[in-house]
Amino acid sequence: MTRGVVVTQIPRAAAADIAVLQEAGVATVHEAQARLGLMQSRIRPVWPGAMVAGSAVTVLVPPADNWMLHVAVEQCRAGDILVVAPTSPCEDGYFGELLATSLQVRGVRALIIDAGCRDVRALQAMGFPVWSRAISAQGTVKATLGSVNVPVVCAGQAVQPGDVIVADDDGVVVVPHAQAARVAAASRERLAKEARTRAALAEGQLGLDYYDMRDTLKARGLRYVERADEI
Amino acid sequence: MTRGVVVTQIPRAAAADIAVLQEAGVATVHEAQARLGLMQSRIRPVWPGAMVAGSAVTVLVPPADNWMLHVAVEQCRAGDILVVAPTSPCEDGYFGELLATSLQVRGVRALIIDAGCRDVRALQAMGFPVWSRAISAQGTVKATLGSVNVPVVCAGQAVQPGDVIVADDDGVVVVPHAQAARVAAASRERLAKEARTRAALAEGQLGLDYYDMRDTLKARGLRYVERADEI
Amino acid sequence: MTRGVVVTQIPRAAAADIAVLQEAGVATVHEAQARLGLMQSRIRPVWPGAMVAGSAVTVLVPPADNWMLHVAVEQCRAGDILVVAPTSPCEDGYFGELLATSLQVRGVRALIIDAGCRDVRALQAMGFPVWSRAISAQGTVKATLGSVNVPVVCAGQAVQPGDVIVADDDGVVVVPHAQAARVAAASRERLAKEARTRAALAEGQLGLDYYDMRDTLKARGLRYVERADEI
Amino acid sequence: MTRGVVVTQIPRAAAADIAVLQEAGVATVHEAQARLGLMQSRIRPVWPGAMVAGSAVTVLVPPADNWMLHVAVEQCRAGDILVVAPTSPCEDGYFGELLATSLQVRGVRALIIDAGCRDVRALQAMGFPVWSRAISAQGTVKATLGSVNVPVVCAGQAVQPGDVIVADDDGVVVVPHAQAARVAAASRERLAKEARTRAALAEGQLGLDYYDMRDTLKARGLRYVERADEI
Amino acid sequence: MTRGVVVTQIPRAAAADIAVLQEAGVATVHEAQARLGLMQSRIRPVWPGAMVAGSAVTVLVPPADNWMLHVAVEQCRAGDILVVAPTSPCEDGYFGELLATSLQVRGVRALIIDAGCRDVRALQAMGFPVWSRAISAQGTVKATLGSVNVPVVCAGQAVQPGDVIVADDDGVVVVPHAQAARVAAASRERLAKEARTRAALAEGQLGLDYYDMRDTLKARGLRYVERADEI
Amino acid sequence: MTRGVVVTQIPRAAAADIAVLQEAGVATVHEAQARLGLMQSRIRPVWPGAMVAGSAVTVLVPPADNWMLHVAVEQCRAGDILVVAPTSPCEDGYFGELLATSLQVRGVRALIIDAGCRDVRALQAMGFPVWSRAISAQGTVKATLGSVNVPVVCAGQAVQPGDVIVADDDGVVVVPHAQAARVAAASRERLAKEARTRAALAEGQLGLDYYDMRDTLKARGLRYVERADEI
């Protein structure tokens, strides 16, 4: 973490891998990388239904100061997702319709912010998705430097510039950019496997049988009794 | 609370009483049993609009471990509601589309979980209602035993297997199964009374008059003044 | 704060100013008064999409006791908004469909409550908007006096009777009634300015240029580097 | 849960078992009953250092109303611990020096309350221990009935009248009164075992060896590498 | 609330009344003014044991910006208490040893801040008491104006410049300066009454009898039963 | 973040620099590195008064599973500090007296854990300092792998193995190991400067003058008025 720096060149994962990750969705991608990388559940979509994936442009911001968001806009390309982390906890409304207009013009796909967001109705009308910690109209100042495209911690996850961000109604997961291809492949396999499982369960097979759990449970000591007073 | 036990026979209230409780809804049922039995307000529907009532199949689960949910599925009948309580606080995503598929096949009406839930979009598409403490994609392990159909505490309320659970957009209330008939009758009376009150208020009668409160308020010392400086 | 008093005469701002404030919305109004007056972000609409402004009728209530709401109804006129603050923190459901019926008959526009609300589905069906701290079916008693139309603190903001309340999906802001005209005028100017900015940004101008920030950022020491290892 | 009832006869565990449980302390007792029964960590001692165990006299109280505490005092014997649970969440100060004076005269050992406590300095001076959810001077009313010696849920745990409560700086654990002897015996064994383990570790043995974990860890796939880039 | 203003003349209550209020302590003073005026329980002493009362010098500060504290120091006299409220929620460490040195030199008695405080060990060593929402080393900037001696809302209570602040281990209560004499007198009476009650209870009288509650409880329907199955 | 790996070789900063950082303390060190690196304020000492600095041995643990702590002990040297981060939020008591005994034998200086800790009284008696998110007796299992000496995020801060951890009553700050010398030097300068400032303020100089703030404040528009009605 360094203040006052903008890094202009960042790595980005292959568009095809990002597309697979977006289609797989947060829950599957997170399982596909050993159940790691999920942001804390306090980060929620400000409007429901969006599903996105893209390359992280990271922004380190002071509390209650959104100056660096304006700096960050210029660093974004089509397909990117802005990831904003304050240097100390803050719920103020760093982001609204005007910044969203700028980002949408550049093809940015979403904003992830561990702070507040406002103009949520306009954002939904524009179709610009935001995941945030709070909805708050509280405005911010432009007085203190932060940084763009440095490593940040956002909602409990370390994010490097260029990491792939996947976000939907289940939350937000971070995939290190160097692992995007591997995780995309693993996600694809997982989707196929889940489809087979879903079909079996929909036919009425029990998970106990489908996953072959009965013996292990018995070995661990699970007992079945008819009535509570037999415990 | 006991670990490692599955109780296979539980009492269930009469379907007719459960139907009345579902129609009455959470707020009315809770009033009809002396304003007791409401789960904490942190338990919210993951999608809005569902109204259900059913018999509780209870599950005691270790934190971050959903093994016992697979065991519990087999114990459920049509009309049941799964009630899941972790042994220590946890927000991880114990439940998603696959388990919901299994439950839906068996006619289970809903899940109540004092932990996290994922695949919320798919759950809404399937029409399977869930009330949870959090939405979280964080996956769980299958390593440690809990129990099924033992008494649990879920979101601040004690739940016995077979108790009636009523859930809607206002929250979740527990009705002890032995009291289902009494509370259903009281709820029906309350609905009728509320209908009369609503009609009176809609015609413009003041609650002060309709409930005959003016004398009591005066006796307690309530004073009316025209301006603040007369206080 | 005084207990046991109802003040029957309160100032109200001009309807035209209130209309302007409603149209401007919470984020703009809050900026127009130096970023002050916003209630805490825990106060959220119980159903989305409503936009209202009106004159505050304030109610000081004991925890878990909604008696004074019935007293307050009589003090409301068309165009008012009821603002309810408990004397100690409480999430119980003070307000539901029956009280909403009474308020709607009188032309009251909304309820703001730093506590709980219930019957949320019925409220949406009626089109009566509520902003609250919690959704909770937990019923309340009628045993202890509070006051009506005394100064209160609601969700972190001081509210005087007659202050203008503006509420939408971004939250709730308080405008002192004596400043309504000034803030309405400032909001109107701000809306015009925002429209110009939006047009410029939508054409692809960068905020860095439109707001003329580059020199100041450079003077503060912002550095651009190509790669992280140049930091 | 029932309102308006005082049960005058409750079971109590043997004093000798209670003494063992007190000496074992919260962490050991909780392990000795399969890691169940611990109240939520929000319940903290208002002053440090006390270690108590005793029989629960339970009190169900309305929010912000301490009337039933006065009723409960009369039901307490020497060696009891008062356990207070509000019917909806509340942080108000139900309890202070005067009630503590009454309890201390009767030989009551402590108060556990899932709400607020006040006069904390005087309580420490008197040596009367309290575990509470909050410290708050906010006074309460005496207007609505609750119950004494009915089953309650306190800080996430079901408590039956007469259950053994063990409390120290680590928190509060509930032991069902019928299991007090069994859990006391198990706690005693555990203490002996912990003493042996402590001695071994204090001599420098590694837990990896003492608990014989290396093979299992290896079997699960744990790998040792010298440097991060070998991962 | 206004930004950018320092009011240099404020009213102050009589020193004798302030001394009585300090001696009475938070719980008693708060009862003596109808159980109103208590700050939220999140405001805690950073070190235990201090008991103070004094005249509020109020400071409205931007989030994460302590510039106005330096302005406020100059406005303080001996016997004052600095009351600091951020314009949006913030836990950063606005205050530490250096500012405490300045305040102590001027005879200021304490700091109340609805934000963070640091150097807590040094503050205890100096004997300078602070009540805060958080302990946090996070430093702040000096970039944006707030105000001194304007009305603020601190931890849920409206505070006017010159109001009497009373703080001890139970929390912080605000007494409007115009009511200081009246509340001091009522507190004194209350202390005398509490002393008589304490003596009676210490002799073993039950509150049920001393406060003459039995008939009222019976009239409300309280029932005594010997065993749970008689309910 | 990777599961199932133990890295055995980690960098460590020079002991002399670590000693300087310990003496400077959290607030000063954090200022000396541009107000970055502070863990969230929810991480608090379980007993007051300890001041430590050391090299981080990091542990990534599953929720409610402390198996990897036993693995980590073996990787610790004298002067190290164990830093434990769960893969999803958890407050259970991963750590107590027995593990502390093992660490103390090896010369480990402290534990930092973004989860729960127990046996707090014994830890204080042993003089082993712990900073944790919660005090909880809730025991954990040994069933799932994590990792040792991989990068983790602990309480909002990224920690690399070997980073310097500084902890005292103000909280916990992370200094990247490669910057330890630079930050130690900056901290030393800062301490000297603070000593000079403290002396000046103790003599009664105002910060407004000592820091030369009056002109800037005036330029920003700060106004002094005698009475509130002049605003």
Side-chain angles (χ1 to χ4, degrees):
Chain A
M1 290 187 307
T2 315
R3 280 189 196 269
V5 177
V6 181
V7 178
T8 58
Q9 310 272 16
I10 63 171
R12 285 175 175 88
D17 292 329
I18 294 175
V20 170
L21 292 167
Q22 175 172 322
E23 195 197 330
V26 171
T28 298
V29 168
H30 153 265
E31 289 284 350
Q33 60 179 355
R35 295 192 303 277
L36 298 173
L38 189 73
M39 288 191 188
Q40 289 162 352
S41 66
R42 66 172 185 249
I43 300 291
R44 297 294 305 146
V46 304
W47 53 268
M51 299 177 65
V52 301
S55 303
V57 169
T58 62
V59 196
L60 185 70
V61 292
D65 187 316
N66 79 346
W67 208 7
M68 297 311 288
L69 290 192
H70 294 276
V71 175
V73 169
E74 191 180 27
Q75 303 305 317
C76 293
R77 291 193 199 159
D80 286 346
I81 291 180
L82 211 55
V83 176
V84 181
T87 54
S88 72
C90 185
E91 293 205 344
D92 291 350
Y94 285 75
F95 184 90
E97 186 192 5
L98 293 178
L99 275 162
T101 301
S102 276
L103 290 179
Q104 206 172 40
V105 166
R106 298 181 80 81
V108 174
R109 290 184 183 162
L111 172 81
I112 314 292
I113 182 166
D114 193 8
C117 170
R118 60 189 187 179
D119 299 335
V120 295
R121 204 177 194 185
L123 294 173
Q124 184 164 19
M126 294 168 67
F128 188 84
V130 174
W131 282 255
S132 73
R133 170 193 197 138
I135 293 170
S136 169
Q138 186 70 41
T140 53
V141 297
K142 299 180 204 326
T144 306
L145 295 188
S147 289
V148 176
N149 283 329
V150 295
V152 298
V153 172
C154 183
Q157 290 299 334
V159 184
Q160 306 289 332
D163 284 352
V164 183
I165 302 297
V166 187
D168 61 24
D169 288 351
D170 283 348
V172 183
V173 70
V174 184
V175 179
H177 56 84
Q179 300 177 23
R182 188 183 62 70
V183 177
S187 297
R188 214 188 312 236
E189 279 174 34
R190 220 182 145 79
L191 285 177
K193 189 177 133 199
E194 284 171 6
R196 291 190 300 272
T197 307
R198 193 182 301 109
L201 300 179
E203 285 168 6
Q205 276 198 57
L206 283 170
L208 282 177
D209 299 314
Y210 187 81
Y211 301 116
D212 200 12
M213 292 171 170
R214 291 191 194 271
D215 289 348
T216 323
L217 285 162
K218 195 174 178 185
R220 290 290 176 86
L222 189 66
R223 292 181 302 131
Y224 287 78
V225 301
E226 284 209 355
R227 293 185 335 216
D229 53 16
E230 298 168 43
I231 298 176
Chain B
M1 291 188 308
T2 316
R3 280 188 196 269
V5 178
V6 181
V7 178
T8 58
Q9 309 272 17
I10 63 171
R12 285 176 174 87
D17 292 330
I18 294 175
V20 170
L21 292 167
Q22 176 172 321
E23 195 197 329
V26 171
T28 298
V29 168
H30 153 266
E31 289 283 350
Q33 62 179 352
R35 294 193 304 277
L36 298 172
L38 189 74
M39 288 190 188
Q40 287 161 353
S41 66
R42 66 170 183 249
I43 301 291
R44 297 296 305 146
V46 304
W47 53 267
M51 299 177 64
V52 301
S55 302
V57 169
T58 62
V59 197
L60 186 69
V61 292
D65 188 316
N66 79 344
W67 208 7
M68 298 312 288
L69 290 192
H70 295 275
V71 175
V73 168
E74 192 180 25
Q75 304 305 316
C76 292
R77 290 192 201 161
D80 286 347
I81 290 180
L82 211 56
V83 176
V84 181
T87 55
S88 72
C90 184
E91 295 206 343
D92 291 350
Y94 285 73
F95 185 89
E97 188 192 3
L98 293 178
L99 276 162
T101 300
S102 276
L103 290 179
Q104 205 171 42
V105 166
R106 297 180 81 79
V108 174
R109 291 187 182 158
L111 171 81
I112 314 292
I113 183 166
D114 192 10
C117 170
R118 59 187 188 179
D119 299 335
V120 296
R121 204 175 193 187
L123 294 173
Q124 184 164 19
M126 295 167 66
F128 188 83
V130 173
W131 282 256
S132 73
R133 171 194 195 135
I135 292 170
S136 170
Q138 185 70 40
T140 53
V141 298
K142 299 181 205 321
T144 306
L145 295 187
S147 290
V148 176
N149 281 330
V150 295
V152 298
V153 172
C154 183
Q157 289 299 333
V159 184
Q160 307 288 332
D163 283 352
V164 183
I165 303 297
V166 187
D168 61 22
D169 288 351
D170 284 348
V172 183
V173 70
V174 184
V175 179
H177 57 83
Q179 299 177 24
R182 188 182 61 70
V183 177
S187 297
R188 214 188 312 238
E189 279 176 34
R190 222 185 141 80
L191 285 177
K193 188 176 132 199
E194 285 171 5
R196 290 191 300 273
T197 306
R198 193 182 302 108
L201 299 179
E203 285 169 6
Q205 276 199 58
L206 283 170
L208 282 176
D209 299 315
Y210 187 81
Y211 301 115
D212 201 12
M213 291 171 170
R214 293 192 192 270
D215 288 350
T216 323
L217 285 162
K218 194 174 178 184
R220 289 290 175 87
L222 188 67
R223 291 181 302 131
Y224 287 79
V225 301
E226 286 209 354
R227 292 186 332 215
D229 54 15
E230 298 168 43
I231 299 176
Chain C
M1 291 191 308
T2 314
R3 281 187 195 270
V5 177
V6 181
V7 178
T8 58
Q9 310 271 16
I10 63 169
R12 285 175 175 88
D17 291 329
I18 293 175
V20 170
L21 293 168
Q22 176 173 321
E23 194 197 330
V26 171
T28 298
V29 168
H30 154 266
E31 289 283 350
Q33 61 179 352
R35 295 191 304 278
L36 298 173
L38 189 74
M39 288 190 187
Q40 288 161 352
S41 65
R42 67 171 185 248
I43 300 289
R44 297 295 306 146
V46 303
W47 51 268
M51 300 178 63
V52 301
S55 302
V57 168
T58 62
V59 196
L60 185 71
V61 292
D65 188 316
N66 79 345
W67 209 7
M68 297 313 288
L69 291 192
H70 295 275
V71 175
V73 168
E74 191 179 28
Q75 304 306 316
C76 292
R77 291 192 199 161
D80 286 346
I81 290 179
L82 211 55
V83 176
V84 181
T87 55
S88 71
C90 185
E91 293 205 344
D92 291 351
Y94 285 75
F95 184 91
E97 187 192 4
L98 293 178
L99 275 162
T101 301
S102 275
L103 290 179
Q104 206 171 41
V105 166
R106 298 180 81 80
V108 174
R109 290 185 182 160
L111 172 81
I112 313 293
I113 183 166
D114 192 9
C117 170
R118 61 189 187 178
D119 300 335
V120 295
R121 204 175 194 188
L123 294 173
Q124 185 164 18
M126 295 167 67
F128 188 83
V130 173
W131 283 255
S132 73
R133 170 193 195 137
I135 292 170
S136 170
Q138 184 69 41
T140 53
V141 297
K142 299 180 205 325
T144 306
L145 296 187
S147 288
V148 176
N149 281 329
V150 296
V152 297
V153 171
C154 183
Q157 290 299 334
V159 184
Q160 306 289 332
D163 284 352
V164 183
I165 303 297
V166 186
D168 61 24
D169 288 351
D170 283 348
V172 183
V173 69
V174 184
V175 179
H177 58 82
Q179 300 177 23
R182 188 183 60 71
V183 177
S187 298
R188 214 188 311 238
E189 279 175 33
R190 222 183 142 79
L191 285 176
K193 190 177 131 198
E194 284 172 4
R196 290 191 301 271
T197 306
R198 192 183 303 110
L201 299 178
E203 285 169 6
Q205 276 198 56
L206 284 170
L208 282 176
D209 298 315
Y210 187 81
Y211 301 115
D212 201 11
M213 291 170 170
R214 293 192 192 271
D215 289 349
T216 324
L217 285 162
K218 194 172 177 184
R220 289 290 176 87
L222 188 67
R223 291 182 302 132
Y224 287 78
V225 301
E226 286 210 355
R227 294 187 332 217
D229 54 15
E230 298 169 42
I231 298 176
Chain D
M1 290 188 308
T2 316
R3 280 187 197 270
V5 178
V6 182
V7 179
T8 58
Q9 310 271 16
I10 63 170
R12 284 175 175 87
D17 292 330
I18 294 175
V20 171
L21 292 167
Q22 176 172 322
E23 195 197 329
V26 171
T28 297
V29 168
H30 154 265
E31 289 284 348
Q33 62 177 352
R35 295 192 304 278
L36 297 173
L38 189 74
M39 289 191 187
Q40 287 161 354
S41 66
R42 67 170 184 248
I43 300 290
R44 297 295 306 147
V46 304
W47 52 268
M51 299 178 64
V52 301
S55 302
V57 169
T58 62
V59 197
L60 185 70
V61 291
D65 188 316
N66 80 345
W67 208 7
M68 297 312 287
L69 291 192
H70 295 276
V71 175
V73 168
E74 192 180 25
Q75 304 305 317
C76 292
R77 290 193 201 160
D80 286 347
I81 290 180
L82 212 55
V83 176
V84 181
T87 55
S88 71
C90 184
E91 295 204 343
D92 291 350
Y94 284 74
F95 185 89
E97 187 192 3
L98 293 178
L99 276 162
T101 301
S102 275
L103 291 179
Q104 206 171 40
V105 166
R106 298 180 80 81
V108 174
R109 290 186 183 158
L111 172 81
I112 314 293
I113 183 166
D114 192 10
C117 170
R118 59 187 187 180
D119 299 336
V120 295
R121 204 175 194 187
L123 294 173
Q124 184 164 18
M126 295 168 65
F128 188 83
V130 174
W131 282 255
S132 73
R133 171 195 195 136
I135 292 170
S136 170
Q138 185 70 39
T140 53
V141 298
K142 299 179 204 325
T144 306
L145 295 187
S147 289
V148 176
N149 281 329
V150 295
V152 298
V153 172
C154 183
Q157 290 299 333
V159 185
Q160 306 288 332
D163 284 352
V164 183
I165 302 297
V166 187
D168 61 23
D169 287 350
D170 283 349
V172 183
V173 71
V174 184
V175 179
H177 57 84
Q179 300 176 23
R182 187 182 62 70
V183 176
S187 297
R188 215 188 312 238
E189 280 174 35
R190 222 185 143 78
L191 285 177
K193 188 177 132 199
E194 284 171 6
R196 290 191 300 273
T197 306
R198 193 183 301 110
L201 299 179
E203 285 169 7
Q205 276 198 57
L206 283 170
L208 282 176
D209 299 314
Y210 186 82
Y211 301 115
D212 200 13
M213 292 170 169
R214 292 192 193 269
D215 288 349
T216 323
L217 285 162
K218 195 173 177 185
R220 288 291 176 85
L222 189 67
R223 292 181 300 132
Y224 287 78
V225 300
E226 285 209 355
R227 293 188 331 219
D229 53 16
E230 298 167 42
I231 299 177
Chain E
M1 291 191 307
T2 316
R3 281 189 197 269
V5 177
V6 181
V7 177
T8 58
Q9 310 271 14
I10 64 170
R12 284 174 175 89
D17 292 329
I18 293 174
V20 170
L21 292 167
Q22 176 172 321
E23 195 197 329
V26 171
T28 299
V29 168
H30 154 266
E31 289 284 349
Q33 60 179 353
R35 296 193 301 277
L36 298 172
L38 190 74
M39 289 191 188
Q40 288 161 353
S41 66
R42 67 171 184 248
I43 300 290
R44 296 296 305 147
V46 303
W47 53 268
M51 300 178 63
V52 301
S55 302
V57 168
T58 62
V59 196
L60 185 70
V61 292
D65 188 317
N66 79 346
W67 208 8
M68 297 312 288
L69 291 192
H70 294 276
V71 175
V73 169
E74 191 179 29
Q75 303 305 317
C76 292
R77 290 191 201 163
D80 286 346
I81 290 180
L82 211 55
V83 176
V84 181
T87 55
S88 71
C90 185
E91 293 205 344
D92 291 349
Y94 285 73
F95 185 89
E97 187 192 4
L98 293 179
L99 276 162
T101 302
S102 276
L103 290 179
Q104 205 170 42
V105 166
R106 299 180 79 81
V108 174
R109 291 185 182 159
L111 172 81
I112 313 293
I113 182 165
D114 193 7
C117 170
R118 60 187 188 179
D119 300 334
V120 295
R121 204 175 194 188
L123 293 173
Q124 184 164 20
M126 296 167 64
F128 189 84
V130 173
W131 283 255
S132 73
R133 170 193 196 138
I135 292 171
S136 169
Q138 185 70 41
T140 52
V141 298
K142 298 179 206 325
T144 306
L145 294 188
S147 288
V148 176
N149 282 329
V150 296
V152 297
V153 172
C154 183
Q157 290 299 334
V159 184
Q160 305 288 332
D163 284 352
V164 183
I165 302 297
V166 186
D168 61 23
D169 287 351
D170 283 349
V172 183
V173 70
V174 184
V175 179
H177 57 82
Q179 299 177 24
R182 188 183 61 70
V183 177
S187 298
R188 214 188 312 238
E189 280 175 33
R190 223 185 141 79
L191 284 177
K193 189 176 133 199
E194 285 170 5
R196 290 191 300 273
T197 306
R198 193 182 302 111
L201 300 178
E203 285 169 7
Q205 277 199 57
L206 284 169
L208 283 176
D209 299 314
Y210 186 81
Y211 300 116
D212 201 12
M213 292 171 169
R214 293 192 192 270
D215 289 348
T216 323
L217 285 162
K218 194 173 178 184
R220 288 291 175 86
L222 188 67
R223 290 180 305 130
Y224 287 78
V225 300
E226 285 209 355
R227 292 188 333 219
D229 54 15
E230 298 168 43
I231 297 177
Chain F
M1 290 191 306
T2 314
R3 280 187 196 269
V5 177
V6 180
V7 178
T8 58
Q9 310 271 17
I10 63 170
R12 284 174 174 89
D17 292 330
I18 294 175
V20 171
L21 293 167
Q22 176 172 322
E23 195 197 330
V26 171
T28 298
V29 168
H30 154 266
E31 288 284 349
Q33 61 178 353
R35 295 192 303 278
L36 298 172
L38 189 75
M39 289 192 186
Q40 288 162 352
S41 66
R42 66 171 184 248
I43 301 291
R44 295 296 305 147
V46 304
W47 52 267
M51 299 178 65
V52 301
S55 302
V57 169
T58 62
V59 197
L60 185 70
V61 292
D65 188 316
N66 78 346
W67 208 6
M68 298 311 289
L69 290 192
H70 295 277
V71 175
V73 168
E74 191 179 28
Q75 304 305 317
C76 292
R77 291 192 201 161
D80 286 347
I81 290 179
L82 212 55
V83 176
V84 181
T87 55
S88 71
C90 185
E91 294 205 345
D92 291 350
Y94 285 74
F95 184 90
E97 188 192 2
L98 293 179
L99 275 161
T101 301
S102 275
L103 290 179
Q104 206 171 41
V105 166
R106 298 180 80 80
V108 174
R109 292 187 182 159
L111 172 80
I112 313 292
I113 182 166
D114 193 9
C117 170
R118 59 189 188 178
D119 299 335
V120 295
R121 204 174 193 187
L123 294 173
Q124 184 165 19
M126 296 168 65
F128 188 84
V130 173
W131 283 255
S132 73
R133 171 194 193 135
I135 291 171
S136 170
Q138 185 70 42
T140 52
V141 298
K142 300 183 204 320
T144 306
L145 295 187
S147 289
V148 176
N149 281 330
V150 296
V152 298
V153 172
C154 183
Q157 290 299 335
V159 184
Q160 306 288 333
D163 284 352
V164 183
I165 302 297
V166 187
D168 62 23
D169 288 352
D170 284 347
V172 183
V173 69
V174 185
V175 179
H177 57 83
Q179 300 177 24
R182 187 182 61 71
V183 177
S187 297
R188 215 190 310 240
E189 279 175 34
R190 219 181 147 80
L191 285 176
K193 188 176 134 199
E194 284 171 6
R196 290 191 300 274
T197 307
R198 192 182 303 110
L201 299 179
E203 284 168 8
Q205 276 199 57
L206 284 169
L208 282 177
D209 299 314
Y210 186 81
Y211 301 115
D212 201 12
M213 291 171 169
R214 293 192 193 270
D215 289 349
T216 324
L217 286 163
K218 193 172 177 184
R220 288 290 176 86
L222 188 67
R223 290 180 303 131
Y224 287 78
V225 301
E226 286 209 354
R227 293 186 334 217
D229 55 14
E230 297 168 42
I231 299 176

